[in-house]
Amino acid sequence: MQCQDALELFSDYVSGDMDKALQAAFEAHLQQCPSCREGMQGFRQVWADLDRLPSVEPPPSLHERILAKLDEKPLQRQQPKLFGSWQLLWRPQVLAAAALVLIVLLAGLQFTPVRHAALGLPDRLFGWLHPVRKPMPIPQPTVVWQANKNGQGGYLEVQFQVPATESKDAALHFTIALVRLQPGLPASQGDRVVVQQGVAQAGTLYTARVQLAQQPDPAQFSLLFSAGWANDKTEKTQQLALPPLSNS
């Protein structure tokens, strides 16, 4: 299940209108996705807060009073005004009602990605209130071969500049894999000979070293670099060019 599918099921899950198979898939996604799990908690809190609001019963005479007002003066057709009457907008009752609607709306959008279709919000308005975060950039590493001084083996030095982010705690999780190429298959389906994983902090120049008994032949091997941010759902895999074989 994708995150977008999970967001569409928030209200059904809280209200209990979900079959067991879909509920199991939804709960499995929540266990694996911290972002959706946090959004679900916020949605449940807003739902509970709305349930605690007291119900307001209109007075029994309200219906009769409305009909009586309608009978007092016939309706007059007027040309619609672009902005209406500004005096009406500044009445305390109108301002209080608008403030209440705005508080409920912003509370739902701030703590959880509430399904905007259920609220009837246009896409452009929802995008302004709850902007979509752009994927964070993935660095482009450089690879060099460093032979050991004793002439026995060496290491691949993979270096990359981790972009700076607004969050000081942002971390880039990466995997470096040396893959033996197979005829007719892409590098991603080759045999992984060496795999090294690590975490690099934002705004740092990171150097990873892959120790090897001998320099890998670019005709037989390839180097894959997979990286993704801890607070982002995007992961990118790059095929890095291995250095040509040295003469020594």
Side-chain angles (χ1 to χ4, degrees):
M1 178 178 293
Q2 301 296 323
C3 292
Q4 183 61 36
D5 300 328
L7 297 182
E8 295 291 333
L9 298 175
F10 275 12
S11 60
D12 292 341
Y13 182 75
V14 174
S15 62
D17 299 332
M18 185 182 296
D19 59 71
K20 295 183 178 180
L22 186 58
Q23 179 177 344
F26 178 79
E27 292 175 345
H29 177 79
L30 291 183
Q31 294 179 357
Q32 300 175 358
C33 181
S35 177
C36 288
R37 187 165 57 250
E38 181 180 358
M40 184 68 251
Q41 294 173 355
F43 187 92
R44 193 190 299 274
Q45 181 63 44
V46 173
W47 189 286
D49 292 341
L50 293 177
D51 284 340
R52 285 194 291 268
L53 292 177
S55 59
V56 179
E57 293 292 338
S61 60
L62 178 62
H63 183 261
E64 290 75 10
R65 290 167 57 188
I66 293 177
L67 294 179
K69 289 292 184 181
L70 293 177
D71 292 337
E72 288 179 2
K73 186 177 181 180
L75 295 177
Q76 298 180 357
R77 297 184 59 87
Q78 298 180 353
Q79 294 295 331
K81 299 180 181 180
L82 181 59
F83 297 102
S85 175
W86 289 104
Q87 295 178 349
L88 293 178
L89 294 178
W90 291 105
R91 287 185 176 181
Q93 298 89 337
V94 177
L95 293 177
L100 178 60
V101 173
L102 185 60
I103 290 174
V104 174
L105 176 62
L106 292 182
L109 293 177
Q110 181 177 358
F111 295 105
T112 178
V114 178
R115 182 171 52 185
H116 63 284
L119 297 175
L121 294 178
D123 291 338
R124 292 182 62 185
L125 177 58
F126 182 79
W128 174 65
L129 293 174
H130 192 71
V132 178
R133 183 176 56 186
K134 295 182 180 179
M136 301 177 69
I138 303 297
Q140 175 66 44
T142 59
V143 184
V144 296
W145 168 257
Q146 298 287 352
N148 293 330
K149 294 181 179 180
N150 59 9
Q152 297 180 0
Y155 56 88
L156 287 172
E157 186 176 87
V158 182
Q159 189 175 81
F160 51 90
Q161 176 67 49
V162 185
T165 63
E166 296 180 358
S167 175
K168 297 180 180 180
D169 299 330
L172 182 76
H173 294 249
F174 67 88
T175 301
I176 301 173
L178 183 65
V179 178
R180 187 187 304 274
L181 300 176
Q182 299 294 332
L185 295 178
S188 59
Q189 298 183 15
D191 297 331
R192 299 199 170 196
V193 181
V194 178
V195 177
Q196 181 172 323
Q197 296 178 332
V199 178
Q201 295 299 319
T204 60
L205 179 63
Y206 194 90
T207 301
R209 294 179 177 179
V210 182
Q211 297 287 342
L212 298 171
Q214 61 182 12
Q215 183 179 2
D217 186 352
Q220 301 178 9
F221 295 90
S222 181
L223 196 65
L224 299 181
F225 178 80
S226 301
W229 294 91
N231 57 345
D232 203 346
K233 300 181 178 62
T234 58
E235 183 178 88
K236 181 179 179 181
T237 299
Q238 307 174 48
Q239 183 175 352
L240 308 180
L242 288 172
L245 292 175
S246 58
N247 298 328
S248 56

